Amino acid sequence: MADIIQILPDSVANQIAAGEVIQRPASVIKELVENAIDAGATQIEVSVIDAGRTLIQVIDNGKGMSETDARLSFERHATSKIRQAADLFDLHTMGFRGEALASIAAVAEVEVRTRREEDELGTLLSIAGSRFVSQEPCSAPVGSSFTVKNLFYNVPARRKFLKSNATEMNNIITAFERIVLVYPQIAFTLHSNHTEIQNLRRASLRQRIVDVFGKRINQQLVPVGVDTTVCRIEGFVGKPESAKKKGALQYFFVNGRYMKHPYFNRAIQTAMERMVPSGDQVPYFIYFQVAPEELDVNIHPTKTEIKFENEQAIWQILLAAVKDAVGLFSGSTSLDFDTADSPSMPEMPVFNPESHPAEAPRIKVDSSYNPFRQDQGKPDKPTVAHWENLYDGLQPAQPAQQEIFTPPTDLSSTDGEPIVGDKSLLHYQYKGQYIVTSVKSGLMIVDQHRAHERILYEQFMERLTARHGASQRLLYPEMVQLNARQVVTLNTLMPQLAEIGFELSDLGAGNYAVNAVPAGMEEAAVQPLLLQMLDAVDDNGGGMVEDTHHQLALSMARHGAVAYGQVLSNQEMESLINQLFLCQNYNYSPTGKKILNIIRQDDLEQMFK
């Protein structure tokens, strides 16, 4: 019987490795930018076309490569970062595996221009699908320029399952942000389809965060800093009022490398658990410095999963550091009763039993005063003679007749109980949250916010489906500043926002002017509404059109719905209930929560037996 085990060709092995290392265009940018940082670059330029499908280019001013190094860099497990296994536990560079360039060249067409400072000419190298195409001398500046074309051209299945350009561009921006937040001393630029997305100058760490995410975040952060023998922690954590349910900016870095660590995230949640609502999360940017021998980053090719030798001790240090930072922000200080070393502290008086306290104040009362005597007190107010004549010709106001809405006989609640006729014209609002009214089958209780949310949701969905929405121009345009990721999402949603009734003007540099909003949303806070809509669509992944419509309509309905605690008049409650029963689904809110409940007449009678 013939032998059946054989060694795979390098091209096949490289494609298998590329399946783990190169998952999407963002993975290519991550690997190339990290190599540029390891090469000592102080300026890095990233350009993409069609979200990286057609072209990815990374240019740096690092130390470059020789002719031989340029050729060897594309071999599997060829690296300048380590020499032996022990070096894995003393890493000071971003890369070390020697798999990235070989994996990229296995699934794309790659061209490299590179030159060292001591060389007169550089090297131009071309590789496609792991096949060496050409290598020749060329004129090039000091540093390296990597051009990756037609990613996954020879792996149709992988290219087919790439997401939309907007989603892939968001992934690229996410990978880009994770790197630029660690190296504020390096200047970065990012271009998409020849349009500048980010231009980050060299700056301090806090300024780099502001440059990436906008000026609003600067007011939300408080510094965190602690230095111990176990680790050094620095960075920023958000104030309690900056917490939100979804989309909080949360970043952990260790020794200049981005990482995901749910255990450390729990430490920050524990520090904030009594200051923010349950389920909300605050933004944070935490940077750890730990001895390299106490880390293990060689767990997954993406290098985002990292093991710590002293994980529990670092957890406690992080918890204490965050609590201390938030405590300093709140301004609460402990009382200091030690005045020996503090001559400026006020002295407390000592009790002297021989001293006599000052006489207590007395109240003088006129005992002869009698308010019922005619000759004392204030004079009586003058009376108007014949005051009845002032109201001649006026008739008593008649109560306004309200239209009675009788739901159709086929309406029923969630438990199948019919809601028919005999709805009361008078309603009672309980604690600004529930509307209580009587119906034929019993006592109906309606959640006012969820009911209005359902009404608005169906109205906005109808506008989106019909592609026609009424606009209300604002007296003064609202200015909104967006980060790079939000700009990409907004450009994708711009036609749908216009169909709803939004009118926006691009002012450049991520600034937009909102000139008009959908009719009925004039009272809503425009900037939070727009940001929530973008975050909702971004979290959804920018999927099908129906899903996008749902997210847009839901965000606007949440912002426009009557708030809990808002007092409603009887007429407003009547109108709300009438509109609710005209909805397609009046039992549940758009998020699947119950809107109304009915206490049946039999149950009420049973309560009083």
Side-chain angles (χ1 to χ4, degrees):
M1 184 176 179
D3 297 332
I4 60 174
I5 297 178
Q6 59 181 345
I7 299 176
L8 293 174
D10 287 344
S11 60
V12 178
N14 287 340
Q15 283 196 16
I16 295 173
E20 294 184 349
V21 180
I22 308 302
Q23 301 173 352
R24 50 176 29 103
S27 305
V28 176
I29 291 175
K30 171 184 177 295
E31 299 294 343
L32 295 181
V33 173
E34 287 181 350
N35 284 343
I37 293 172
D38 290 338
T42 59
Q43 185 169 354
I44 300 175
E45 301 176 12
V46 180
S47 299
V48 297
I49 295 179
D50 296 334
R53 298 170 190 264
T54 303
L55 175 74
I56 298 173
Q57 187 175 41
V58 177
I59 304 173
D60 67 75
N61 62 348
K63 57 187 178 183
M65 293 182 287
S66 66
E67 181 180 357
T68 303
D69 287 343
R71 181 66 182 88
L72 287 176
S73 64
F74 287 92
E75 298 294 331
R76 288 190 67 201
H77 307 303
T79 179
S80 62
K81 316 298 174 59
I82 62 175
R83 291 289 183 269
Q84 54 190 354
D87 294 340
L88 290 173
F89 302 97
D90 190 24
L91 292 173
H92 299 276
T93 56
M94 298 292 288
F96 57 87
R97 295 176 182 273
E99 292 181 335
L101 292 182
S103 298
I104 294 171
V107 294
E109 301 172 352
V110 182
E111 182 181 279
V112 182
R113 291 177 181 267
T114 181
R115 181 173 76 87
R116 298 182 302 180
E117 187 175 4
E118 59 268 25
D119 297 334
E120 292 185 2
L121 289 176
T123 301
L124 173 61
L125 179 68
S126 297
I127 296 180
S130 295
R131 290 187 304 102
F132 175 77
V133 178
S134 65
Q135 182 173 352
E136 58 187 15
C138 69
S139 175
V142 176
S144 300
S145 172
F146 286 82
T147 303
V148 180
K149 300 178 181 178
N150 300 324
L151 185 63
F152 299 129
Y153 79 100
N154 56 348
V155 191
R158 179 65 64 86
R159 188 176 179 90
K160 178 181 178 181
F161 285 101
L162 288 176
K163 303 295 183 181
S164 64
N165 281 358
T167 301
E168 294 298 340
M169 192 63 208
N170 279 334
N171 290 326
I172 289 173
I173 293 174
T174 298
F176 184 77
E177 291 171 349
R178 292 174 178 177
I179 296 175
V180 302
L181 290 173
V182 188
Y183 297 95
Q185 71 277 12
I186 300 177
F188 292 90
T189 59
L190 174 62
H191 291 79
S192 173
N193 296 335
H194 309 292
T195 301
E196 185 178 276
I197 302 297
Q198 287 276 23
N199 189 345
L200 305 172
R201 65 187 189 279
R202 303 173 192 175
S204 64
L205 181 58
R206 184 163 193 147
Q207 185 61 48
R208 173 57 58 87
I209 295 173
V210 172
D211 290 342
V212 173
F213 297 110
K215 297 179 180 179
R216 290 187 301 110
I217 198 171
N218 191 36
Q219 306 298 325
Q220 301 175 357
L221 301 179
V222 294
V224 176
V226 63
D227 195 355
T228 68
T229 56
V230 177
C231 68
R232 182 162 62 91
I233 299 176
E234 60 181 356
F236 304 92
V237 66
K239 299 175 183 178
E241 57 265 28
S242 66
K244 55 183 181 178
K245 292 286 184 184
K246 299 175 65 176
L249 301 171
Q250 298 180 331
Y251 292 88
F252 281 128
F253 305 94
V254 56
N255 294 358
R257 189 187 306 276
Y258 171 80
M259 70 171 179
K260 298 177 181 177
H261 211 294
Y263 186 53
F264 290 164
N265 180 67
R266 179 59 186 163
I268 296 181
Q269 290 182 354
T270 302
M272 292 285 189
E273 62 183 358
R274 296 189 178 182
M275 291 177 282
V276 301
S278 177
D280 285 13
Q281 295 183 337
V282 296
Y284 57 75
F285 304 84
I286 304 296
Y287 299 79
F288 298 87
Q289 285 294 329
V290 183
E293 61 271 14
E294 297 179 1
L295 293 175
D296 185 5
V297 300
N298 190 25
I299 298 175
H300 191 273
T302 59
K303 308 184 189 78
T304 58
E305 300 177 15
I306 299 176
K307 296 294 184 182
F308 290 78
E309 182 178 339
N310 299 316
E311 196 170 69
Q312 190 170 4
I314 296 175
W315 192 93
Q316 296 289 346
I317 295 171
L318 176 61
L319 175 66
V322 173
K323 283 186 175 182
D324 185 55
V326 177
L328 290 176
F329 155 72
S330 65
S332 58
T333 57
S334 58
L335 294 176
D336 186 3
F337 293 100
D338 186 6
T339 60
D341 299 327
S342 303
S344 60
M345 294 290 291
E347 294 185 359
M348 293 186 178
V350 180
F351 174 69
N352 184 2
E354 298 181 357
S355 63
H356 299 284
E359 185 178 358
R362 297 180 178 179
I363 299 177
K364 295 182 179 181
V365 179
D366 185 2
S367 57
S368 62
Y369 176 76
N370 186 349
F372 299 100
R373 291 176 55 182
Q374 295 296 329
D375 56 343
Q376 289 185 236
K378 296 181 180 180
D380 295 338
K381 293 183 179 180
T383 58
V384 179
H386 308 292
W387 58 268
E388 296 88 348
N389 297 335
L390 297 175
Y391 298 94
D392 287 345
L394 296 181
Q395 300 297 329
Q398 299 294 330
Q401 296 294 325
Q402 295 181 344
E403 180 183 357
I404 299 177
F405 175 80
T406 304
T409 57
D410 58 345
L411 293 182
S412 60
S413 64
T414 55
D415 57 359
E417 183 70 23
I419 308 173
V420 293
D422 295 343
K423 182 172 69 65
S424 172
L425 286 177
L426 297 178
H427 313 286
Y428 171 71
Q429 187 180 27
Y430 178 69
K431 292 190 174 180
Q433 183 171 356
Y434 301 105
I435 298 173
V436 183
T437 188
S438 63
V439 291
K440 182 178 180 180
S441 52
L443 195 63
M444 183 173 66
I445 305 175
V446 179
D447 186 304
Q448 67 182 37
H449 177 78
R450 294 178 186 176
H452 200 202
E453 189 178 283
R454 163 56 68 180
I455 295 167
L456 294 177
Y457 172 79
E458 293 197 2
Q459 290 177 356
F460 289 128
M461 283 296 291
E462 184 179 353
R463 294 184 191 179
L464 284 166
T465 305
R467 297 188 175 183
H468 178 72
S471 296
Q472 175 63 51
R473 295 196 65 85
L474 300 177
L475 184 60
Y476 299 101
E478 289 275 353
M479 301 301 170
V480 180
Q481 185 180 37
L482 307 177
N483 58 40
R485 193 184 317 174
Q486 293 167 336
V487 169
V488 173
T489 306
L490 178 62
N491 291 335
T492 306
L493 295 177
M494 196 70 80
Q496 299 175 53
L497 293 177
E499 292 170 1
I500 299 175
F502 280 99
E503 183 182 320
L504 294 91
S505 301
D506 187 357
L507 305 180
N511 295 302
Y512 289 81
V514 183
N515 303 313
V517 296
M521 300 295 294
E522 299 86 354
E523 301 299 326
V526 176
Q527 181 164 321
L529 169 61
L530 193 59
L531 294 178
Q532 181 180 335
M533 293 168 63
L534 297 177
D535 290 341
V537 174
D538 193 18
D539 292 339
N540 190 47
M544 300 176 62
V545 175
E546 293 79 6
D547 294 335
T548 303
H549 286 178
H550 166 73
Q551 295 296 336
L552 293 176
L554 180 58
S555 299
M556 289 191 295
R558 283 175 172 171
H559 269 265
V562 58
Y564 289 124
Q566 182 173 339
V567 178
L568 301 179
S569 66
N570 188 76
Q571 185 176 0
E572 290 171 332
M573 289 187 281
E574 175 73 12
S575 175
L576 188 68
I577 294 176
N578 289 347
Q579 292 182 65
L580 174 63
F581 286 115
L582 290 174
C583 294
Q584 296 180 2
N585 185 347
Y586 49 82
N587 285 318
Y588 293 97
S589 71
T591 55
K593 297 179 180 179
K594 245 186 170 184
I595 295 177
L596 59 88
N597 270 303
I598 294 180
I599 303 176
R600 292 179 296 181
Q601 180 70 24
D602 296 341
D603 295 335
L604 284 172
E605 294 174 354
Q606 188 67 28
M607 292 178 186
F608 293 94
K609 287 185 178 179

mmCIF file of all heavy atoms in Angstrom, residues 324 327-328 330-338 345:
data_model
loop_
_atom_site.group_PDB
_atom_site.id
_atom_site.type_symbol
_atom_site.label_atom_id
_atom_site.label_comp_id
_atom_site.label_asym_id
_atom_site.label_seq_id
_atom_site.Cartn_x
_atom_site.Cartn_y
_atom_site.Cartn_z
ATOM 1 N N ASP A 324 -9.542 55.294 43.537
ATOM 2 C CA ASP A 324 -8.825 56.496 43.979
ATOM 3 C C ASP A 324 -9.011 57.632 42.983
ATOM 4 O O ASP A 324 -9.217 58.783 43.369
ATOM 5 C CB ASP A 324 -7.346 56.162 44.140
ATOM 6 C CG ASP A 324 -6.553 57.334 44.707
ATOM 7 O OD1 ASP A 324 -6.919 57.835 45.788
ATOM 8 O OD2 ASP A 324 -5.566 57.755 44.064
ATOM 9 N N GLY A 327 -12.494 58.938 43.307
ATOM 10 C CA GLY A 327 -12.615 59.654 44.579
ATOM 11 C C GLY A 327 -12.007 61.037 44.525
ATOM 12 O O GLY A 327 -12.566 62.005 45.052
ATOM 13 N N LEU A 328 -10.858 61.182 43.863
ATOM 14 C CA LEU A 328 -10.245 62.504 43.719
ATOM 15 C C LEU A 328 -11.103 63.403 42.843
ATOM 16 O O LEU A 328 -11.203 64.607 43.084
ATOM 17 C CB LEU A 328 -8.848 62.353 43.106
ATOM 18 C CG LEU A 328 -7.779 61.723 44.002
ATOM 19 C CD1 LEU A 328 -6.487 61.548 43.229
ATOM 20 C CD2 LEU A 328 -7.542 62.573 45.242
ATOM 21 N N SER A 330 -14.349 63.349 42.633
ATOM 22 C CA SER A 330 -15.537 63.788 43.373
ATOM 23 C C SER A 330 -15.218 64.886 44.371
ATOM 24 O O SER A 330 -16.122 65.546 44.877
ATOM 25 C CB SER A 330 -16.160 62.597 44.108
ATOM 26 O OG SER A 330 -15.281 62.100 45.098
ATOM 27 N N GLY A 331 -13.919 65.055 44.698
ATOM 28 C CA GLY A 331 -13.530 66.132 45.597
ATOM 29 C C GLY A 331 -13.724 65.824 47.057
ATOM 30 O O GLY A 331 -13.572 66.704 47.901
ATOM 31 N N SER A 332 -14.077 64.605 47.411
ATOM 32 C CA SER A 332 -14.273 64.261 48.817
ATOM 33 C C SER A 332 -12.918 64.029 49.477
ATOM 34 O O SER A 332 -12.087 63.291 48.962
ATOM 35 C CB SER A 332 -15.119 62.990 48.926
ATOM 36 O OG SER A 332 -14.497 61.925 48.242
ATOM 37 N N THR A 333 -12.686 64.661 50.595
ATOM 38 C CA THR A 333 -11.433 64.523 51.321
ATOM 39 C C THR A 333 -11.732 64.146 52.760
ATOM 40 O O THR A 333 -12.779 64.457 53.311
ATOM 41 C CB THR A 333 -10.632 65.846 51.302
ATOM 42 O OG1 THR A 333 -11.454 66.884 51.855
ATOM 43 C CG2 THR A 333 -10.259 66.224 49.873
ATOM 44 N N SER A 334 -10.794 63.455 53.363
ATOM 45 C CA SER A 334 -10.962 63.038 54.752
ATOM 46 C C SER A 334 -10.602 64.181 55.685
ATOM 47 O O SER A 334 -9.786 65.044 55.354
ATOM 48 C CB SER A 334 -10.070 61.824 55.035
ATOM 49 O OG SER A 334 -8.718 62.145 54.777
ATOM 50 N N LEU A 335 -11.209 64.199 56.877
ATOM 51 C CA LEU A 335 -10.921 65.222 57.869
ATOM 52 C C LEU A 335 -9.585 64.936 58.539
ATOM 53 O O LEU A 335 -9.269 63.793 58.861
ATOM 54 C CB LEU A 335 -12.034 65.256 58.922
ATOM 55 C CG LEU A 335 -13.407 65.696 58.418
ATOM 56 C CD1 LEU A 335 -14.412 65.591 59.552
ATOM 57 C CD2 LEU A 335 -13.354 67.107 57.886
ATOM 58 N N ASP A 336 -8.792 65.949 58.750
ATOM 59 C CA ASP A 336 -7.484 65.796 59.376
ATOM 60 C C ASP A 336 -7.508 66.557 60.698
ATOM 61 O O ASP A 336 -7.593 67.777 60.724
ATOM 62 C CB ASP A 336 -6.395 66.361 58.445
ATOM 63 C CG ASP A 336 -4.994 66.079 58.991
ATOM 64 O OD1 ASP A 336 -4.906 65.411 60.038
ATOM 65 O OD2 ASP A 336 -4.018 66.524 58.358
ATOM 66 N N PHE A 337 -7.425 65.817 61.811
ATOM 67 C CA PHE A 337 -7.473 66.430 63.136
ATOM 68 C C PHE A 337 -6.087 66.629 63.717
ATOM 69 O O PHE A 337 -5.941 67.089 64.838
ATOM 70 C CB PHE A 337 -8.308 65.556 64.095
ATOM 71 C CG PHE A 337 -9.751 65.513 63.722
ATOM 72 C CD1 PHE A 337 -10.273 64.430 63.023
ATOM 73 C CD2 PHE A 337 -10.596 66.568 64.033
ATOM 74 C CE1 PHE A 337 -11.608 64.392 62.674
ATOM 75 C CE2 PHE A 337 -11.934 66.533 63.683
ATOM 76 C CZ PHE A 337 -12.433 65.451 63.007
ATOM 77 N N ASP A 338 -5.060 66.265 62.987
ATOM 78 C CA ASP A 338 -3.699 66.427 63.487
ATOM 79 C C ASP A 338 -3.193 67.801 63.086
ATOM 80 O O ASP A 338 -2.867 68.046 61.936
ATOM 81 C CB ASP A 338 -2.797 65.332 62.901
ATOM 82 C CG ASP A 338 -1.398 65.370 63.508
ATOM 83 O OD1 ASP A 338 -1.196 66.160 64.446
ATOM 84 O OD2 ASP A 338 -0.530 64.604 63.041
ATOM 85 N N MET A 345 -4.055 74.901 60.159
ATOM 86 C CA MET A 345 -5.354 74.319 60.506
ATOM 87 C C MET A 345 -5.996 75.112 61.630
ATOM 88 O O MET A 345 -5.325 75.539 62.569
ATOM 89 C CB MET A 345 -5.176 72.863 60.947
ATOM 90 C CG MET A 345 -4.710 71.939 59.838
ATOM 91 S SD MET A 345 -6.011 71.691 58.626
ATOM 92 C CE MET A 345 -7.156 70.741 59.596
#
